[in-house]
Amino acid sequence: MEDDAPVIYGLEFQIHIIDFDDENNIINKNVLLHQVGEIWHISTSPADRGVLATCYNKPSDSKVLTCAAVWRMPKELEPGSHESPDDSSSTAHSLELLCHLDDTAHGSTACVTWEPTGDGKKVISLADNHILLWDLQESSGQAVLASSASLEGKGQLKFTSGRWSPHHAGTQVATASDTTVRGWDTRSMSQIYCIENAHGQLVRDLDFNPNKQYYLASCGDDCKVKFWDTRNVTEPVKTLEEHSHWVWSIRYNHSHDQLVLTGSSDSRVILSNMVSISSEPFGHLVDDDDLSDQEERRPEEKSQEPPRDGVIATYEEHEDSVYAADWSSADPWLFASLSYDGRLVINRVPRALKYHILL
């Protein structure tokens, strides 16, 4: 993650910016005050590393609503700034409020997802059974509701999570509600696919393969991780059943999409190799043409088999439910996980696997 790619996570009314010095194996921390309420979700702008959105609790008429807002962190704390964090400093910094995304008429906001490409001026918020597309105007100082759609059906349908696809020119978003996963076209806010009973229980998280179109991963309270081809959603293309409790988080590696990270209430983080459905299903094999006439290959090299799917490593440093796991945006071999007890753990992809992928 190094100095230009911090880990950002919320702790009650604070946001902690964690900088990891990989060379010296040192973690530094800065604190941002989030005085408007307890944080339940954070997402950062892909276009401006100093801008982030939070979903937070706010008391309202004898009940608690979850609202959303867009903020800017102080310039000196932005990733890539020349000033290094100072963990010994007890000074807490303040966030600058850019705009609110909440409209109480739509209910509580479950999450905010940013358009992965473009200028960072479009975000989608999921509020109860509404999917809302916002345009951020004037340096994100104002949010205009551009379009919206609603879930229709029996019962009190509510969104739990969503993810904006990096493919299809940024026109597709996937959402989870109860046990169902849906795809939406952001131009018309119409549904383009629906995976009913995607999981046997609540769907917790979604992520798109960053390098391969149409591939979507989901996880949920049935302890399963599933991979879908959104062109044919009758059956998942792959299913993992390695966790023993609810799976809260799933993330594809940004550079090497065969690497998939999951975090669960079983207190474990699992790193899996899903190479068969990755953008490089046969790995990086050396052709005979790449070798000179003087070089002779060993028999085992000539008959090298493609890598197989399976668990690479299981990490058990946490003692409580792991609610979040994510990859570094600067170092593709580095990842972090966060558990309910406030413990943040930073790990690396095993060296042997790293060189197997690269070489």
Side-chain angles (χ1 to χ4, degrees), residues 279-340:
S279 58
E280 296 183 351
F282 301 108
H284 181 74
L285 302 181
V286 179
D287 294 330
D288 288 331
D289 295 339
D290 295 335
L291 299 172
S292 65
D293 294 337
Q294 288 78 24
E295 291 177 312
E296 292 185 5
R297 302 187 63 192
R298 291 175 295 186
E300 60 268 23
E301 290 179 322
K302 293 183 180 180
S303 61
Q304 183 179 2
E305 294 182 1
R308 295 181 180 179
D309 295 346
V311 172
I312 297 165
T314 301
Y315 301 87
E316 300 184 350
E317 295 97 335
H318 292 283
E319 297 177 358
D320 214 329
S321 297
V322 180
Y323 287 155
D326 213 337
W327 295 94
S328 163
S329 59
D331 185 340
W333 312 109
L334 203 63
F335 59 91
S337 53
L338 180 67
S339 54
Y340 181 74

Side-chain angles (χ1 to χ4, degrees), residues 218-279:
S218 63
C219 62
D221 286 2
D222 58 0
C223 313
K224 296 179 182 179
V225 174
K226 295 186 178 183
F227 300 87
W228 307 89
D229 183 336
T230 58
R231 295 167 296 184
N232 181 7
V233 295
T234 54
E235 294 288 339
V237 291
K238 287 281 184 178
T239 300
L240 292 178
E241 301 184 48
E242 301 296 337
H243 284 288
S244 59
H245 210 267
W246 303 347
V247 187
W248 283 83
S249 177
I250 182 163
R251 288 292 179 267
Y252 275 103
N253 186 287
H254 309 299
S255 302
H256 309 286
D257 55 276
Q258 67 265 50
L259 302 179
V260 177
L261 201 61
T262 54
S264 166
S265 295
D266 61 11
S267 306
R268 297 185 299 161
V269 175
I270 293 180
L271 176 62
S272 299
N273 190 14
M274 301 306 297
V275 67
S276 70
I277 53 173
S278 73
S279 58

Side-chain angles (χ1 to χ4, degrees), residues 9 11 17 32 90 130 150 184 206 293 313 320 342 344:
Y9 68 95
L11 179 64
I17 303 177
L32 294 170
S90 59
H130 303 280
S150 301
W184 303 82
L206 304 166
D293 294 337
D320 214 329
L344 177 76

Side-chain angles (χ1 to χ4, degrees), residues 14-81:
Q14 299 177 352
I15 292 175
H16 291 186
I17 303 177
I18 306 297
D19 278 84
F20 178 52
D21 182 346
D22 192 24
E23 290 185 3
N24 301 305
N25 202 32
I26 297 174
I27 293 177
N28 295 309
K29 177 184 73 175
N30 268 293
V31 177
L32 294 170
L33 296 178
H34 187 272
Q35 297 174 326
V36 291
E38 183 180 11
I39 303 167
W40 286 91
H41 185 265
I42 296 177
S43 57
T44 54
S45 168
D48 188 336
R49 292 189 282 183
V51 173
L52 57 110
T54 62
C55 300
Y56 58 91
N57 281 353
K58 176 183 177 182
S60 175
D61 298 330
S62 73
K63 63 180 181 179
V64 177
L65 285 176
T66 306
C67 302
V70 179
W71 311 83
R72 178 175 291 281
M73 66 179 70
K75 283 287 185 183
E76 64 270 19
L77 299 185
E78 289 186 15
S81 67

